[in-house]
Amino acid sequence: MKILMVCLGNICRSPLAEGILRSKLPDSFVVDSAGTISMHEGETPDKRAVKTAANHHIDISKQKSRPIQMTDFDQFDKIYCMDLKNLEDVISLTRTEEQRQKVHLFLEEAGNHQNSEVPDPYWGNLDDFEKVYQLLDRASNKISHQLQQQVITNKIR
Ligand code: 4NP
């Protein structure tokens, strides 16, 4: 199963989400991330995101920002967006109902129906990154169970 995490710049939220979810899944799962804009393409994650992940023994320092591309809709099984604007932007790129069905709001899939957006910590401080980490960590616990269950009941390999 292949999972893609998406935020705006792919330097704060989705790199953290990628690192956290990967740490909770077996190696047979592929976890990647992308942004809806290409402004930070090629850059490693924001220093504060790298530091926050490292505080929890997760290394995201070698990730590189990239924009989402059309082939992602065929290559990935699940595309999880961090906020509603990301969701709208990603859905606007889909061309078929099958592609559309792969796109979800990450926290909503994890069961948060209120407060279903991961706040953007880019303009905040290290404490805001830690709050985002905690939000993503709790949601990733739920999603990792869900995904492993789906593989077992075998909807997706
Ligand atoms: P991200 O955060 O979408 O979580 O990676 C941001 C990164 C960059 C910018 C905004 C948010 N930016 O304006 O460059």
Side-chain angles (χ1 to χ4, degrees):
M1 166 123 46
K2 293 187 171 183
I3 299 119
L4 185 68
M5 302 301 214
V6 180
C7 64
L8 177 69
N10 190 212
I11 55 168
C12 299
R13 294 165 294 176
S14 60
L16 275 171
E18 173 189 332
I20 294 168
L21 187 64
R22 182 183 292 118
S23 76
K24 297 177 191 290
L25 286 168
D27 289 344
S28 54
F29 286 78
V30 171
V31 187
D32 193 6
S33 63
T36 55
I37 58 170
S38 57
M39 187 177 155
H40 297 279
E41 188 164 5
E43 293 176 22
T44 50
D46 186 287
K47 285 194 185 71
R48 297 163 298 175
V50 173
K51 169 85 178 119
T52 300
N55 287 344
H56 296 276
H57 314 291
I58 291 177
D59 181 12
I60 63 167
S61 67
K62 294 178 188 63
Q63 292 183 26
K64 292 276 168 67
S65 172
R66 70 165 181 92
I68 188 166
Q69 52 189 30
M70 290 312 296
T71 50
D72 290 328
F73 293 103
D74 297 320
Q75 278 166 13
F76 289 87
D77 302 296
K78 304 272 184 189
I79 299 176
Y80 292 123
C81 300
M82 297 296 114
D83 67 30
L84 287 166
K85 179 69 168 75
N86 307 148
L87 184 75
E88 183 188 323
D89 291 344
V90 171
I91 286 175
S92 76
L93 296 172
T94 60
R95 292 191 177 138
T96 64
E97 184 55 22
E98 189 186 354
Q99 293 179 344
R100 164 71 190 85
Q101 293 295 330
K102 294 180 177 184
V103 187
H104 307 275
L105 194 54
F106 187 57
L107 295 186
E108 193 167 81
E109 277 298 284
N112 298 25
H113 295 289
Q114 283 157 352
N115 301 325
S116 57
E117 297 189 275
V118 179
D120 192 343
Y122 187 68
W123 305 104
N125 56 33
L126 202 55
D127 193 44
D128 295 309
F129 278 79
E130 177 60 25
K131 285 185 185 132
V132 163
Y133 183 95
Q134 294 299 334
L135 204 53
L136 292 171
D137 189 56
R138 279 194 298 275
S140 296
N141 282 334
K142 296 194 182 138
I143 297 283
S144 68
H145 284 121
Q146 229 176 68
L147 295 175
Q148 292 180 82
Q149 204 59 48
Q150 285 186 20
V151 166
I152 290 165
T153 53
N154 119 76
K155 301 187 187 153
I156 307 174
R157 237 167 323 133

